[in-house]
């Protein structure tokens, strides 16, 4: 037996291999959805996250605590998990691994990313309008929270906040696929929500929904053009964080399994 083969026989490596196989098994149907299914799933993702943002704003308004508000936001990530909807920054580890394994193309990946991002924002924009109409007391909190992100500036510091935001969500996805325990998956979602929202990391979709709430409420120092420029900065950082901090290292760790998946996929297609 070769040294590399002996290493891969360890129990820890078996768990890594099982997680990689689950990732590819999940990623293939995600990347080959019909347009209607993809759009509906992404719209639901925006709505699910909006429920978490609504809870975040309410707790922030009542307590003034960013940490408690971040914990409250976990409702949104738990809804994503249990509702099987799609969030833009969840599209790094699983889809990229699937493409590397040869079960989908880079064009499939680009289609997924663009559609999910746009539909997350459309669904979230509509839901946050309902929230601001239903809870007028949240207007000042929403405007203040949105301004914190959109007017945060384009600096190395804010870019690093975006990198960390993308990395944390991708780490959550990695933890989800590292266990079959639903309790473990929910714990990962709550932990990621607390870190992401409680510490004020930048996330292209989450913080856009907060910005939308402020825009719907009115009286913000920023407009849609300002938000769009901010979105580009946040997306860039999220992609860098999701791909470099977590996905690339996981791909190195799972490379032997992913190489084995490619021939099996071709045989299945035949």
């Amino acid at each position: 037996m070769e040294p590399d083969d002996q290493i891969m026989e360890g129990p820890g490596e078996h768990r890594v291999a099982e997680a990689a196989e689950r990732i590819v098994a999940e990623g293939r149907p995600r990347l080959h959805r019909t347009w209607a299914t993809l759009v509906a799933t992404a719209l639901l993702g925006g709505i699910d996250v909006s429920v978490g943002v609504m809870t975040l704003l309410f707790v922030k308004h009542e307590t003034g605590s960013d940490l408690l508000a971040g914990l409250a936001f976990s409702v949104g990530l738990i809804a994503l998990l249990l509702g099987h909807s799609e969030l833009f920054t969840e599209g790094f580890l699983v889809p990229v691994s699937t493409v590397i394994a040869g079960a989908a193309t880079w064009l499939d990946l680009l289609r997924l990313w663009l559609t999910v991002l746009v539909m997350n924002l459309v669904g979230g924009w509509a839901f946050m309008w309902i929230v601001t109409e239903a809870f007028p007391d949240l207007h000042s909190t929403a405007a203040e929270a949105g301004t914190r992100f959109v007017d945060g500036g384009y600096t190395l510091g804010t870019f690093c906040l975006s990198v960390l935001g993308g990395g944390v969500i991708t780490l959550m996805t990695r933890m989800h696929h590292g266990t079959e325990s639903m309790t473990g998956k929910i714990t990962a979602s709550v932990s990621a929500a607390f870190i992401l929202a409680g510490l004020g990391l930048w996330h292209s979709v989450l913080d856009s929904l907060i910005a939308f709430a402020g825009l719907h409420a009115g009286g913000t120092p920023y407009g849609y053009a300002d938000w769009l420029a901010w979105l580009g900065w946040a997306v860039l950082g999220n992609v860098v964080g999701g791909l470099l901090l977590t996905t690339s290292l996981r791909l190195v760790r799972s490379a032997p399994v992913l190489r084995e998946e490619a021939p099996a996929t071709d045989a299945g297609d035949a």
Side-chain angles (χ1 to χ4, degrees):
M1 182 180 291
E2 295 295 328
D4 286 348
D5 294 334
Q6 293 175 354
I7 292 173
M8 291 303 294
E9 288 299 317
E13 299 306 320
H14 275 302
R15 287 192 290 270
V16 171
E18 290 170 358
E21 290 168 356
R22 285 197 295 270
I23 285 172
V24 176
E26 176 191 325
R28 185 172 184 180
R30 280 176 64 180
L31 283 162
H32 293 289
R33 288 178 178 139
T34 65
W35 279 105
T37 302
L38 180 58
V39 167
T41 305
L43 280 171
L44 285 171
I47 292 170
D48 289 345
V49 174
S50 294
V51 174
V53 173
M54 175 180 65
T55 311
L56 178 155
L57 290 174
F58 186 84
V59 172
K60 173 67 175 175
H61 176 74
E62 293 295 324
T63 68
S65 170
D66 288 327
L67 295 178
L68 289 177
L71 190 60
F73 173 68
S74 61
V75 172
L77 295 188
I78 293 172
L80 278 171
L81 172 67
L82 300 182
H84 302 287
S85 50
E86 188 96 35
L87 180 65
F88 168 63
T89 46
E90 288 184 306
F92 298 142
L93 178 61
V94 174
V96 171
S97 298
T98 304
V99 172
I100 296 297
T105 68
W106 292 106
L107 186 59
D108 294 326
L109 179 63
L110 183 61
R111 167 182 175 263
L112 174 74
W113 281 353
L114 292 177
T115 305
V116 171
L117 176 59
V118 171
M119 291 300 106
N120 280 171
L121 295 173
V122 169
W125 183 91
F127 192 92
M128 294 316 298
W129 178 84
I130 297 173
V131 170
T132 55
E133 291 297 311
F135 298 104
D137 289 346
L138 297 181
H139 285 191
S140 59
T141 302
E144 179 182 349
T147 301
R148 174 183 174 185
F149 293 106
V150 179
D151 284 355
Y154 307 105
T155 66
L156 178 60
T158 58
F159 184 73
C160 288
L161 286 173
S162 300
V163 170
L164 290 171
V168 166
I169 287 293
T170 308
L171 175 61
M172 178 191 74
T173 305
R174 174 184 165 188
M175 290 191 289
H176 284 171
H177 289 87
T179 179
E180 295 182 354
S181 165
M182 186 54 69
T183 300
K185 292 180 180 183
I186 291 175
T187 301
S189 295
V190 173
S191 301
F194 177 74
I195 297 170
L196 183 68
L199 274 60
L201 305 184
W202 280 24
H203 186 274
S204 50
V205 176
L206 160 62
D207 301 332
S208 286
L209 304 188
I210 295 174
F212 290 158
L215 288 167
H216 291 320
T220 60
Y222 62 89
Y224 281 100
D226 301 308
W227 160 76
L228 192 59
W230 172 88
L231 177 66
W233 188 245
V235 166
L236 178 60
N238 287 171
V239 171
V240 170
L243 292 181
L244 295 186
L245 290 184
T246 304
T247 300
S248 60
L249 297 177
R250 172 54 64 178
L251 289 174
V252 171
R253 185 90 188 273
S254 306
V257 178
L258 295 178
R259 284 197 298 266
E260 291 174 2
E261 286 291 330
T265 298
D266 294 340
D269 289 343

